[in-house]
Amino acid sequence: MSRHRHDDEELWGNDPVPSEVVDASWLLEGLTVPQRDAVTHRGGPLLIVAGAGSGKTRVLTRRIAHLLATGDAKPWEVLAITFTNKAAQEMRSRVRDLIGPEADRMWVATFHSACLRMLRAHADVLGYERGFTIYDAGESESTVDRIMKEMGLDTKRLTPRSVYAQISGAKNEMLSPGQFADLGHGQSDPHRARVAEIFRSYADRLKAANAMDFDDLLLNAVRMLRTDAGVLERYRERFQHILVDEFQDTNTVQNELVTLLASTHRRICVVGDSDQSIYRFRAADVRNILQFSERFPDAETVMLEQNFRSTQVILDAANAVIEKNATRHPKRLFTEGATGEKIRRYRAGDEYDEARWVATELQRLRQRHSLDYGDMAVFYRTNAASRVLEEQLLRAGVSYRVISGQRFYDRKEIKNALAYARLIVNPRDEASARRVINEPKRGIGDVAQGKIGTYAASRGISFAEGITFAKEAGLSGRALTGAVEFAGTLEQLRALNNDLTPGSMIEAIIRETGIADALRDENTDEAKGRLENLGELASGASRFDSLLEFVEQMALVSESDNLQDGTGAVSLMTIHVAKGLEFPAVIITGLEEGNFPHSRAMDDPDELEEERRLCYVAITRAMAHLSLTHAWSRTRWGQHVDNIESRFFREIPAELFEDATSTAPTRRASFRDEESGFLGRRTEFTDGRAFGTGTAPPARSTGAELLGLSPGDRVVHDRYGAGTVRSTSGDGPRSRATVDFDFHGEKQLVLSLTPLQRAE
């Protein structure tokens, strides 16, 4: 028997000394009747439906302490599972405060850490050595990348990140490579078949390396328990009491794990709220909590509906929204506290009007209610919405911090797009050139860049200028092709800068450099969010007279961002990040159809229910002051779009609102803010942001790609004059041509963006 298994048995204890049974009645002090019922329940499955702010953590820790204090459970017989290490540490600490150091002998862990602990003791059941390696997401993606290259696949068209995301999703559904392929329902699906092939090779590669990824920790723990009845029986005997927090966030494999462990003794307690299930995009399955009583028909259900956080007005609004969902545990939150003030509602003309009002409202809350900025939060549905809010808070001098996310101008995709913009207005910008020369991937790695740098230094030119001499610098193969393409794209974009507005230029950068294609090919929620951020950047650029002015102003804004920090700052975050938090004052922005609820949910009843749960979560974060806003118009990829207010507004009773809109919204013919230095003009690309699309910018064509050009044709360019077509490639919007102009030399052109006509 191995040392690992001896350690495991020693930890369990063969002849445990019974704990002294003490009077545990004091653990019930201060609890409501439903809370007390949840703490004292014994004998079988228990479902605790814990509404927002109902004290579920207190109930869960008191229940564990009560089990131990009464002698109904020994510490080593308790398995308490949470979703984060922080939550696990807090739970252990609170139980220790209640009953002392005996609590340290419990297993209080996340799903992943509990599974890892079991696998370290018994991985040999599956043919692994116990010292197996754990791959993080980066290492897993790199492994997929190597497999795809070995298979000769184009990693630009089918990206390793998107493939790894699909593999991870399959594992969370407990699907093997073969089962994943079969989901095509017998129909030929080349894409699914190819991903399944990569999935199979990836699984083989990890097994050969004695390695598991994070999804494997869960999946292999279940496989281990199913494979070895002896190991399963040992853990069932060991864990006589299983408690799971946030059960609405479990996925298929997590649900199967706890069911396996509890199916014999059935002493399982799950705590959660179907109304707060908002992680479907992470494979969370709300059906796990909704169907718990079907899986355990003898389960007792305790409803925790009394809220200890919010005023009744706020709870009434939350109840009104969530009761429209069909798939939920019916309940109605109430409080014995204050009724509270009405919800403030603001109807903005556009997103700038909305953001200025938010800044003013935060200042009002600080002055009238003596709140610190750290007591306030502003929520938005997607990350892209933060740009306008950040700008306006900076102008108003309101300190803020972006929670669990980067400031808008610190995001990678934004930095990359701005680097291209800087290269267009300053062809010698070395820092920008080095940042994006291989973004997206063009095969121009460190070695190739080193050759360009050496050549440029020897000729007394900048690195950026040296890119046009890639062949002379010694580049060859894919690196040379990539460098020529990169230089040609920059040259074409510089030519377009004379004709296009700044907003259109940012769109052209996003489209022609391949940034949009790379993100679209990933086909993940994260990639769609990044596309929305880029759309927001294009909308912001449309407010300026020139690309140079935009680039200069962005440098100032980015630097100003670094001045805002500290605990006395307003918290800006997406609603997903807000779950589990609470603030005395909350402002929820962007409540329009297509934004919140998100456009991707409009045709899917399940997604729409999740959007409503998201709204419920957002509302119930507020303790005393709540404001909701929407804008009658926004801009998506520079296109002016009128909106209608979110259905969530209409679902909240009118008597709960106080209208904070002092005047009817008007559309401004121009925009000027002398104090901040921002200056712009009203056009079709004015003020705004992209939301809800998750798509590349719309194509705007000059029609030159429809000319049917061939080598030898004579053409005329608006700027370069007459020339002769030397070669053509591609088709449709991706058509390109090399033209030798009579007085300007050879140029590589993207035809759909080029003001080109046939010579008469």
Side-chain angles (χ1 to χ4, degrees), residues 350-352 354 380-389 408 529 531-540 542-543 589-592 594-596 598 631 633-641 643 685-693:
D350 58 24
E351 61 270 46
Y352 287 91
E354 176 187 56
Y380 34 82
R381 176 61 182 84
T382 62
N383 278 305
S386 76
R387 182 188 67 84
V388 178
L389 288 166
F408 184 82
L531 277 168
E532 291 174 351
N533 293 340
L534 290 167
E536 178 63 24
L537 184 70
S539 296
S542 66
R543 300 167 51 224
T589 62
L591 280 154
E592 301 112 28
N595 185 32
F596 191 21
H598 200 283
S633 66
R634 293 187 190 270
T635 308
R636 306 179 187 181
W637 287 105
Q639 298 293 317
H640 181 79
V641 176
N643 303 310
F685 300 107
T686 306
D687 319 338
R689 67 181 201 85
F691 61 90
T693 57

Tab-separated table of all heavy atoms in Angstrom, residues 350-352 354 380-389 408 529 531-540 542-543 589-592 594-596 598 631 633-641 643 685-693:
chain	number	residue	atom	x	y	z
A	350	ASP	N	-28.866	60.131	-24.857
A	350	ASP	CA	-27.892	59.200	-25.404
A	350	ASP	C	-26.981	58.755	-24.277
A	350	ASP	O	-27.176	59.118	-23.116
A	350	ASP	CB	-27.094	59.824	-26.557
A	350	ASP	CG	-26.358	61.099	-26.151
A	350	ASP	OD1	-26.068	61.271	-24.947
A	350	ASP	OD2	-26.071	61.936	-27.018
A	351	GLU	N	-25.959	57.969	-24.594
A	351	GLU	CA	-25.121	57.422	-23.540
A	351	GLU	C	-24.261	58.467	-22.840
A	351	GLU	O	-23.870	58.287	-21.686
A	351	GLU	CB	-24.238	56.291	-24.076
A	351	GLU	CG	-23.275	56.687	-25.159
A	351	GLU	CD	-23.877	56.536	-26.542
A	351	GLU	OE1	-25.027	56.969	-26.763
A	351	GLU	OE2	-23.191	56.007	-27.421
A	352	TYR	N	-23.971	59.586	-23.516
A	352	TYR	CA	-23.208	60.645	-22.862
A	352	TYR	C	-24.086	61.385	-21.860
A	352	TYR	O	-23.639	61.739	-20.765
A	352	TYR	CB	-22.617	61.593	-23.913
A	352	TYR	CG	-21.469	60.955	-24.654
A	352	TYR	CD1	-21.688	60.246	-25.822
A	352	TYR	CD2	-20.176	61.006	-24.143
A	352	TYR	CE1	-20.643	59.619	-26.483
A	352	TYR	CE2	-19.127	60.392	-24.793
A	352	TYR	CZ	-19.366	59.698	-25.965
A	352	TYR	OH	-18.336	59.065	-26.602
A	354	GLU	N	-26.553	59.991	-20.365
A	354	GLU	CA	-26.701	59.013	-19.292
A	354	GLU	C	-25.490	59.046	-18.356
A	354	GLU	O	-25.638	59.082	-17.125
A	354	GLU	CB	-26.857	57.618	-19.897
A	354	GLU	CG	-26.927	56.495	-18.873
A	354	GLU	CD	-26.911	55.125	-19.542
A	354	GLU	OE1	-25.954	54.849	-20.304
A	354	GLU	OE2	-27.840	54.342	-19.308
A	380	TYR	N	-23.149	47.676	-15.349
A	380	TYR	CA	-23.484	47.671	-16.768
A	380	TYR	C	-23.496	46.234	-17.252
A	380	TYR	O	-22.897	45.347	-16.647
A	380	TYR	CB	-22.506	48.515	-17.591
A	380	TYR	CG	-21.083	48.506	-17.080
A	380	TYR	CD1	-20.207	47.458	-17.389
A	380	TYR	CD2	-20.604	49.530	-16.270
A	380	TYR	CE1	-18.911	47.444	-16.913
A	380	TYR	CE2	-19.306	49.521	-15.784
A	380	TYR	CZ	-18.458	48.484	-16.118
A	380	TYR	OH	-17.175	48.461	-15.634
A	381	ARG	N	-24.202	45.994	-18.365
A	381	ARG	CA	-24.382	44.628	-18.851
A	381	ARG	C	-23.121	44.069	-19.495
A	381	ARG	O	-22.793	42.904	-19.315
A	381	ARG	CB	-25.561	44.586	-19.848
A	381	ARG	CG	-25.811	43.228	-20.512
A	381	ARG	CD	-26.149	42.167	-19.483
A	381	ARG	NE	-26.345	40.861	-20.112
A	381	ARG	CZ	-25.363	40.022	-20.405
A	381	ARG	NH1	-24.102	40.353	-20.128
A	381	ARG	NH2	-25.625	38.852	-20.951
A	382	THR	N	-22.405	44.884	-20.270
A	382	THR	CA	-21.197	44.425	-20.950
A	382	THR	C	-20.040	45.371	-20.650
A	382	THR	O	-20.234	46.561	-20.377
A	382	THR	CB	-21.409	44.356	-22.471
A	382	THR	OG1	-21.697	45.669	-22.974
A	382	THR	CG2	-22.552	43.412	-22.832
A	383	ASN	N	-18.829	44.846	-20.743
A	383	ASN	CA	-17.638	45.635	-20.437
A	383	ASN	C	-17.512	46.879	-21.305
A	383	ASN	O	-16.963	47.894	-20.876
A	383	ASN	CB	-16.385	44.774	-20.610
A	383	ASN	CG	-16.111	43.913	-19.387
A	383	ASN	OD1	-15.999	44.417	-18.275
A	383	ASN	ND2	-16.021	42.609	-19.587
A	384	ALA	N	-18.005	46.794	-22.549
A	384	ALA	CA	-17.849	47.920	-23.466
A	384	ALA	C	-18.484	49.195	-22.929
A	384	ALA	O	-18.072	50.296	-23.279
A	384	ALA	CB	-18.462	47.568	-24.829
A	385	ALA	N	-19.480	49.065	-22.070
A	385	ALA	CA	-20.201	50.229	-21.567
A	385	ALA	C	-19.361	51.095	-20.650
A	385	ALA	O	-19.744	52.232	-20.349
A	385	ALA	CB	-21.463	49.777	-20.832
A	386	SER	N	-18.233	50.596	-20.193
A	386	SER	CA	-17.464	51.366	-19.209
A	386	SER	C	-16.785	52.589	-19.812
A	386	SER	O	-16.461	53.537	-19.104
A	386	SER	CB	-16.419	50.480	-18.528
A	386	SER	OG	-15.307	50.240	-19.374
A	387	ARG	N	-16.556	52.613	-21.142
A	387	ARG	CA	-15.758	53.697	-21.723
A	387	ARG	C	-16.367	55.063	-21.458
A	387	ARG	O	-15.701	55.960	-20.929
A	387	ARG	CB	-15.588	53.494	-23.237
A	387	ARG	CG	-14.720	54.584	-23.880
A	387	ARG	CD	-14.716	54.491	-25.393
A	387	ARG	NE	-16.005	54.799	-25.969
A	387	ARG	CZ	-16.435	56.044	-26.218
A	387	ARG	NH1	-15.675	57.081	-25.895
A	387	ARG	NH2	-17.605	56.259	-26.768
A	388	VAL	N	-17.618	55.244	-21.837
A	388	VAL	CA	-18.248	56.554	-21.672
A	388	VAL	C	-18.368	56.896	-20.194
A	388	VAL	O	-18.140	58.040	-19.786
A	388	VAL	CB	-19.629	56.575	-22.350
A	388	VAL	CG1	-20.305	57.925	-22.143
A	388	VAL	CG2	-19.486	56.284	-23.834
A	389	LEU	N	-18.704	55.924	-19.370
A	389	LEU	CA	-18.801	56.170	-17.933
A	389	LEU	C	-17.460	56.615	-17.365
A	389	LEU	O	-17.388	57.567	-16.583
A	389	LEU	CB	-19.278	54.906	-17.218
A	389	LEU	CG	-20.743	54.525	-17.429
A	389	LEU	CD1	-20.996	53.089	-16.961
A	389	LEU	CD2	-21.663	55.492	-16.694
A	408	PHE	N	-11.014	50.536	-19.530
A	408	PHE	CA	-11.304	50.367	-20.951
A	408	PHE	C	-10.038	50.454	-21.793
A	408	PHE	O	-9.785	49.595	-22.650
A	408	PHE	CB	-12.317	51.420	-21.408
A	408	PHE	CG	-12.746	51.247	-22.828
A	408	PHE	CD1	-13.735	50.339	-23.157
A	408	PHE	CD2	-12.142	51.972	-23.845
A	408	PHE	CE1	-14.126	50.148	-24.474
A	408	PHE	CE2	-12.525	51.798	-25.165
A	408	PHE	CZ	-13.518	50.885	-25.478
A	529	GLY	N	-17.263	39.792	-26.486
A	529	GLY	CA	-17.159	40.981	-25.647
A	529	GLY	C	-16.054	41.908	-26.117
A	529	GLY	O	-16.185	43.135	-26.072
A	531	LEU	N	-15.039	42.215	-29.212
A	531	LEU	CA	-15.541	42.891	-30.406
A	531	LEU	C	-16.432	44.069	-30.023
A	531	LEU	O	-16.394	45.131	-30.655
A	531	LEU	CB	-16.313	41.900	-31.279
A	531	LEU	CG	-15.471	41.031	-32.220
A	531	LEU	CD1	-16.309	39.912	-32.803
A	531	LEU	CD2	-14.866	41.884	-33.330
A	532	GLU	N	-17.241	43.888	-28.992
A	532	GLU	CA	-18.079	44.989	-28.514
A	532	GLU	C	-17.214	46.146	-28.020
A	532	GLU	O	-17.531	47.320	-28.248
A	532	GLU	CB	-19.003	44.494	-27.404
A	532	GLU	CG	-20.079	43.534	-27.898
A	532	GLU	CD	-20.892	42.933	-26.765
A	532	GLU	OE1	-20.508	43.125	-25.594
A	532	GLU	OE2	-21.897	42.268	-27.043
A	533	ASN	N	-16.122	45.827	-27.342
A	533	ASN	CA	-15.216	46.873	-26.882
A	533	ASN	C	-14.628	47.645	-28.058
A	533	ASN	O	-14.494	48.875	-28.014
A	533	ASN	CB	-14.083	46.259	-26.056
A	533	ASN	CG	-14.556	45.655	-24.751
A	533	ASN	OD1	-15.627	45.986	-24.256
A	533	ASN	ND2	-13.769	44.756	-24.194
A	534	LEU	N	-14.262	46.929	-29.125
A	534	LEU	CA	-13.700	47.590	-30.304
A	534	LEU	C	-14.746	48.464	-30.983
A	534	LEU	O	-14.433	49.546	-31.502
A	534	LEU	CB	-13.155	46.540	-31.276
A	534	LEU	CG	-11.887	45.817	-30.792
A	534	LEU	CD1	-11.602	44.596	-31.654
A	534	LEU	CD2	-10.693	46.771	-30.791
A	535	GLY	N	-15.984	48.003	-30.989
A	535	GLY	CA	-17.053	48.829	-31.526
A	535	GLY	C	-17.214	50.109	-30.741
A	535	GLY	O	-17.472	51.183	-31.298
A	536	GLU	N	-17.040	49.990	-29.430
A	536	GLU	CA	-17.115	51.170	-28.570
A	536	GLU	C	-15.983	52.143	-28.891
A	536	GLU	O	-16.167	53.359	-28.898
A	536	GLU	CB	-17.038	50.736	-27.108
A	536	GLU	CG	-17.066	51.869	-26.100
A	536	GLU	CD	-18.364	52.643	-26.143
A	536	GLU	OE1	-19.382	52.094	-26.572
A	536	GLU	OE2	-18.337	53.821	-25.753
A	537	LEU	N	-14.786	51.622	-29.169
A	537	LEU	CA	-13.660	52.479	-29.526
A	537	LEU	C	-13.947	53.223	-30.820
A	537	LEU	O	-13.671	54.423	-30.937
A	537	LEU	CB	-12.390	51.637	-29.667
A	537	LEU	CG	-11.110	52.435	-29.936
A	537	LEU	CD1	-10.705	53.234	-28.703
A	537	LEU	CD2	-9.968	51.499	-30.350
A	538	ALA	N	-14.509	52.523	-31.806
A	538	ALA	CA	-14.851	53.168	-33.078
A	538	ALA	C	-15.877	54.273	-32.863
A	538	ALA	O	-15.784	55.352	-33.463
A	538	ALA	CB	-15.373	52.123	-34.064
A	539	SER	N	-16.853	54.017	-32.015
A	539	SER	CA	-17.867	55.032	-31.741
A	539	SER	C	-17.251	56.245	-31.060
A	539	SER	O	-17.605	57.385	-31.360
A	539	SER	CB	-18.977	54.439	-30.868
A	539	SER	OG	-19.653	53.407	-31.544
A	540	GLY	N	-16.307	55.999	-30.138
A	540	GLY	CA	-15.638	57.105	-29.471
A	540	GLY	C	-14.807	57.936	-30.431
A	540	GLY	O	-14.761	59.170	-30.343
A	542	SER	N	-15.401	58.554	-33.460
A	542	SER	CA	-16.241	59.328	-34.385
A	542	SER	C	-16.508	60.741	-33.894
A	542	SER	O	-16.990	61.577	-34.655
A	542	SER	CB	-17.560	58.593	-34.616
A	542	SER	OG	-18.318	58.556	-33.419
A	543	ARG	N	-16.163	61.031	-32.649
A	543	ARG	CA	-16.402	62.363	-32.091
A	543	ARG	C	-15.293	63.352	-32.411
A	543	ARG	O	-15.372	64.524	-32.046
A	543	ARG	CB	-16.558	62.263	-30.574
A	543	ARG	CG	-17.711	61.370	-30.136
A	543	ARG	CD	-17.633	61.061	-28.642
A	543	ARG	NE	-17.475	62.267	-27.857
A	543	ARG	CZ	-16.623	62.391	-26.836
A	543	ARG	NH1	-15.848	61.391	-26.488
A	543	ARG	NH2	-16.555	63.518	-26.172
A	589	THR	N	-27.172	50.788	-15.312
A	589	THR	CA	-27.257	51.567	-16.548
A	589	THR	C	-27.626	50.682	-17.744
A	589	THR	O	-27.557	49.455	-17.687
A	589	THR	CB	-25.914	52.253	-16.838
A	589	THR	OG1	-24.899	51.241	-17.026
A	589	THR	CG2	-25.495	53.149	-15.684
A	590	GLY	N	-28.004	51.356	-18.828
A	590	GLY	CA	-28.177	50.664	-20.103
A	590	GLY	C	-29.366	49.738	-20.201
A	590	GLY	O	-29.297	48.719	-20.898
A	591	LEU	N	-30.466	50.065	-19.542
A	591	LEU	CA	-31.641	49.190	-19.556
A	591	LEU	C	-32.472	49.438	-20.817
A	591	LEU	O	-33.490	50.134	-20.800
A	591	LEU	CB	-32.475	49.416	-18.294
A	591	LEU	CG	-31.925	48.698	-17.055
A	591	LEU	CD1	-32.341	49.396	-15.785
A	591	LEU	CD2	-32.398	47.248	-17.043
A	592	GLU	N	-31.983	48.859	-21.931
A	592	GLU	CA	-32.689	48.944	-23.200
A	592	GLU	C	-32.793	47.563	-23.819
A	592	GLU	O	-31.939	46.704	-23.591
A	592	GLU	CB	-31.958	49.880	-24.182
A	592	GLU	CG	-31.775	51.289	-23.696
A	592	GLU	CD	-30.306	51.601	-23.430
A	592	GLU	OE1	-29.431	50.994	-24.065
A	592	GLU	OE2	-30.046	52.448	-22.555
A	594	GLY	N	-32.183	44.782	-26.261
A	594	GLY	CA	-31.010	44.537	-27.092
A	594	GLY	C	-29.714	44.753	-26.349
A	594	GLY	O	-28.665	44.262	-26.767
A	595	ASN	N	-29.776	45.506	-25.276
A	595	ASN	CA	-28.608	45.704	-24.424
A	595	ASN	C	-28.791	44.936	-23.128
A	595	ASN	O	-27.958	44.133	-22.742
A	595	ASN	CB	-28.386	47.187	-24.146
A	595	ASN	CG	-27.104	47.441	-23.373
A	595	ASN	OD1	-26.131	46.717	-23.531
A	595	ASN	ND2	-27.102	48.464	-22.534
A	596	PHE	N	-29.907	45.187	-22.455
A	596	PHE	CA	-30.242	44.476	-21.231
A	596	PHE	C	-31.763	44.412	-21.131
A	596	PHE	O	-32.375	45.383	-20.700
A	596	PHE	CB	-29.642	45.208	-20.030
A	596	PHE	CG	-29.694	44.435	-18.741
A	596	PHE	CD1	-29.829	43.053	-18.734
A	596	PHE	CD2	-29.604	45.085	-17.516
A	596	PHE	CE1	-29.883	42.344	-17.540
A	596	PHE	CE2	-29.635	44.382	-16.317
A	596	PHE	CZ	-29.779	43.008	-16.341
A	598	HIS	N	-29.855	41.316	-23.276
A	598	HIS	CA	-28.888	41.318	-24.358
A	598	HIS	C	-29.527	40.783	-25.631
A	598	HIS	O	-30.411	39.928	-25.597
A	598	HIS	CB	-27.697	40.440	-23.961
A	598	HIS	CG	-26.455	40.722	-24.750
A	598	HIS	ND1	-26.286	40.277	-26.032
A	598	HIS	CD2	-25.322	41.395	-24.418
A	598	HIS	CE1	-25.100	40.659	-26.467
A	598	HIS	NE2	-24.494	41.337	-25.515
A	631	ALA	N	-31.033	54.889	-22.260
A	631	ALA	CA	-30.796	55.950	-23.241
A	631	ALA	C	-31.665	55.698	-24.468
A	631	ALA	O	-31.751	54.569	-24.952
A	631	ALA	CB	-29.323	55.990	-23.637
A	633	SER	N	-31.077	56.643	-27.409
A	633	SER	CA	-30.257	56.353	-28.582
A	633	SER	C	-28.839	56.017	-28.154
A	633	SER	O	-28.350	56.510	-27.137
A	633	SER	CB	-30.240	57.540	-29.553
A	633	SER	OG	-29.588	58.654	-28.947
A	634	ARG	N	-28.217	55.134	-28.911
A	634	ARG	CA	-26.802	54.801	-28.742
A	634	ARG	C	-26.204	54.607	-30.129
A	634	ARG	O	-26.902	54.668	-31.131
A	634	ARG	CB	-26.622	53.529	-27.909
A	634	ARG	CG	-27.046	53.681	-26.451
A	634	ARG	CD	-26.686	52.457	-25.629
A	634	ARG	NE	-27.301	52.512	-24.315
A	634	ARG	CZ	-26.740	53.067	-23.238
A	634	ARG	NH1	-25.535	53.593	-23.336
A	634	ARG	NH2	-27.370	53.090	-22.083
A	635	THR	N	-24.919	54.366	-30.161
A	635	THR	CA	-24.256	54.152	-31.440
A	635	THR	C	-23.592	52.795	-31.443
A	635	THR	O	-22.887	52.444	-30.497
A	635	THR	CB	-23.199	55.247	-31.700
A	635	THR	OG1	-23.816	56.520	-31.540
A	635	THR	CG2	-22.620	55.123	-33.077
A	636	ARG	N	-23.865	52.009	-32.474
A	636	ARG	CA	-23.255	50.697	-32.610
A	636	ARG	C	-22.336	50.717	-33.819
A	636	ARG	O	-22.797	50.912	-34.941
A	636	ARG	CB	-24.325	49.621	-32.796
A	636	ARG	CG	-25.399	49.612	-31.712
A	636	ARG	CD	-26.425	48.539	-31.994
A	636	ARG	NE	-27.554	48.615	-31.068
A	636	ARG	CZ	-28.581	47.779	-31.081
A	636	ARG	NH1	-28.637	46.816	-31.969
A	636	ARG	NH2	-29.560	47.906	-30.214
A	637	TRP	N	-21.063	50.496	-33.585
A	637	TRP	CA	-20.066	50.560	-34.660
A	637	TRP	C	-20.244	51.844	-35.486
A	637	TRP	O	-20.209	51.834	-36.705
A	637	TRP	CB	-20.165	49.336	-35.567
A	637	TRP	CG	-19.644	48.089	-34.932
A	637	TRP	CD1	-20.373	47.060	-34.431
A	637	TRP	CD2	-18.282	47.766	-34.699
A	637	TRP	NE1	-19.537	46.104	-33.900
A	637	TRP	CE2	-18.242	46.505	-34.061
A	637	TRP	CE3	-17.056	48.405	-34.965
A	637	TRP	CZ2	-17.060	45.879	-33.684
A	637	TRP	CZ3	-15.875	47.772	-34.599
A	637	TRP	CH2	-15.886	46.542	-33.970
A	638	GLY	N	-20.459	52.953	-34.770
A	638	GLY	CA	-20.574	54.232	-35.446
A	638	GLY	C	-21.920	54.506	-36.055
A	638	GLY	O	-22.147	55.588	-36.577
A	639	GLN	N	-22.850	53.567	-36.013
A	639	GLN	CA	-24.173	53.742	-36.592
A	639	GLN	C	-25.159	54.189	-35.519
A	639	GLN	O	-25.324	53.519	-34.504
A	639	GLN	CB	-24.660	52.440	-37.227
A	639	GLN	CG	-23.800	51.951	-38.372
A	639	GLN	CD	-23.864	52.877	-39.572
A	639	GLN	OE1	-24.928	53.349	-39.953
A	639	GLN	NE2	-22.718	53.143	-40.170
A	640	HIS	N	-25.818	55.290	-35.760
A	640	HIS	CA	-26.786	55.831	-34.804
A	640	HIS	C	-28.016	54.934	-34.769
A	640	HIS	O	-28.613	54.628	-35.799
A	640	HIS	CB	-27.175	57.248	-35.209
A	640	HIS	CG	-28.138	57.896	-34.273
A	640	HIS	ND1	-27.745	58.438	-33.074
A	640	HIS	CD2	-29.479	58.077	-34.350
A	640	HIS	CE1	-28.810	58.945	-32.456
A	640	HIS	NE2	-29.870	58.725	-33.214
A	641	VAL	N	-28.403	54.476	-33.551
A	641	VAL	CA	-29.529	53.555	-33.386
A	641	VAL	C	-30.443	54.068	-32.283
A	641	VAL	O	-29.983	54.437	-31.202
A	641	VAL	CB	-29.041	52.133	-33.024
A	641	VAL	CG1	-30.229	51.214	-32.762
A	641	VAL	CG2	-28.174	51.569	-34.139
A	643	ASN	N	-33.425	53.375	-29.471
A	643	ASN	CA	-33.732	52.256	-28.588
A	643	ASN	C	-35.126	52.389	-27.994
A	643	ASN	O	-35.701	53.476	-27.968
A	643	ASN	CB	-32.732	52.202	-27.420
A	643	ASN	CG	-31.306	52.097	-27.880
A	643	ASN	OD1	-30.977	51.257	-28.712
A	643	ASN	ND2	-30.445	52.954	-27.340
A	685	PHE	N	-21.847	59.217	-37.216
A	685	PHE	CA	-20.991	58.390	-36.370
A	685	PHE	C	-20.865	58.948	-34.960
A	685	PHE	O	-19.929	58.644	-34.249
A	685	PHE	CB	-19.582	58.296	-36.973
A	685	PHE	CG	-19.562	57.691	-38.329
A	685	PHE	CD1	-19.339	58.459	-39.441
A	685	PHE	CD2	-19.784	56.338	-38.493
A	685	PHE	CE1	-19.324	57.892	-40.704
A	685	PHE	CE2	-19.767	55.762	-39.746
A	685	PHE	CZ	-19.539	56.545	-40.859
A	686	THR	N	-21.774	59.809	-34.546
A	686	THR	CA	-21.609	60.522	-33.281
A	686	THR	C	-21.735	59.626	-32.066
A	686	THR	O	-22.360	58.586	-32.125
A	686	THR	CB	-22.646	61.652	-33.198
A	686	THR	OG1	-22.514	62.443	-34.361
A	686	THR	CG2	-22.420	62.534	-32.004
A	687	ASP	N	-21.188	60.134	-30.967
A	687	ASP	CA	-21.259	59.595	-29.603
A	687	ASP	C	-21.922	58.238	-29.474
A	687	ASP	O	-23.101	58.134	-29.655
A	687	ASP	CB	-22.068	60.538	-28.701
A	687	ASP	CG	-21.761	61.988	-28.948
A	687	ASP	OD1	-20.687	62.301	-29.471
A	687	ASP	OD2	-22.592	62.795	-28.577
A	688	GLY	N	-21.191	57.251	-29.041
A	688	GLY	CA	-21.921	56.027	-28.758
A	688	GLY	C	-21.073	54.822	-28.527
A	688	GLY	O	-19.879	54.908	-28.363
A	689	ARG	N	-21.723	53.688	-28.506
A	689	ARG	CA	-21.017	52.462	-28.243
A	689	ARG	C	-21.706	51.304	-28.939
A	689	ARG	O	-22.854	51.387	-29.327
A	689	ARG	CB	-20.949	52.160	-26.745
A	689	ARG	CG	-22.288	51.841	-26.143
A	689	ARG	CD	-22.145	51.576	-24.667
A	689	ARG	NE	-23.262	50.824	-24.172
A	689	ARG	CZ	-23.363	49.509	-24.224
A	689	ARG	NH1	-22.417	48.795	-24.769
A	689	ARG	NH2	-24.410	48.889	-23.738
A	690	ALA	N	-20.977	50.218	-29.128
A	690	ALA	CA	-21.564	49.014	-29.709
A	690	ALA	C	-21.952	48.077	-28.592
A	690	ALA	O	-21.195	47.881	-27.665
A	690	ALA	CB	-20.552	48.335	-30.618
A	691	PHE	N	-23.145	47.536	-28.645
A	691	PHE	CA	-23.530	46.581	-27.621
A	691	PHE	C	-24.385	45.510	-28.249
A	691	PHE	O	-25.104	45.740	-29.188
A	691	PHE	CB	-24.309	47.249	-26.479
A	691	PHE	CG	-25.586	47.894	-26.914
A	691	PHE	CD1	-26.778	47.183	-26.918
A	691	PHE	CD2	-25.594	49.209	-27.335
A	691	PHE	CE1	-27.957	47.778	-27.316
A	691	PHE	CE2	-26.772	49.805	-27.733
A	691	PHE	CZ	-27.947	49.108	-27.731
A	692	GLY	N	-24.250	44.320	-27.704
A	692	GLY	CA	-25.153	43.257	-28.073
A	692	GLY	C	-24.913	42.625	-29.423
A	692	GLY	O	-25.631	41.724	-29.813
A	693	THR	N	-23.906	43.040	-30.178
A	693	THR	CA	-23.744	42.487	-31.509
A	693	THR	C	-22.787	41.307	-31.512
A	693	THR	O	-23.088	40.256	-32.034
A	693	THR	CB	-23.216	43.562	-32.470
A	693	THR	OG1	-21.984	44.071	-31.961
A	693	THR	CG2	-24.216	44.691	-32.588
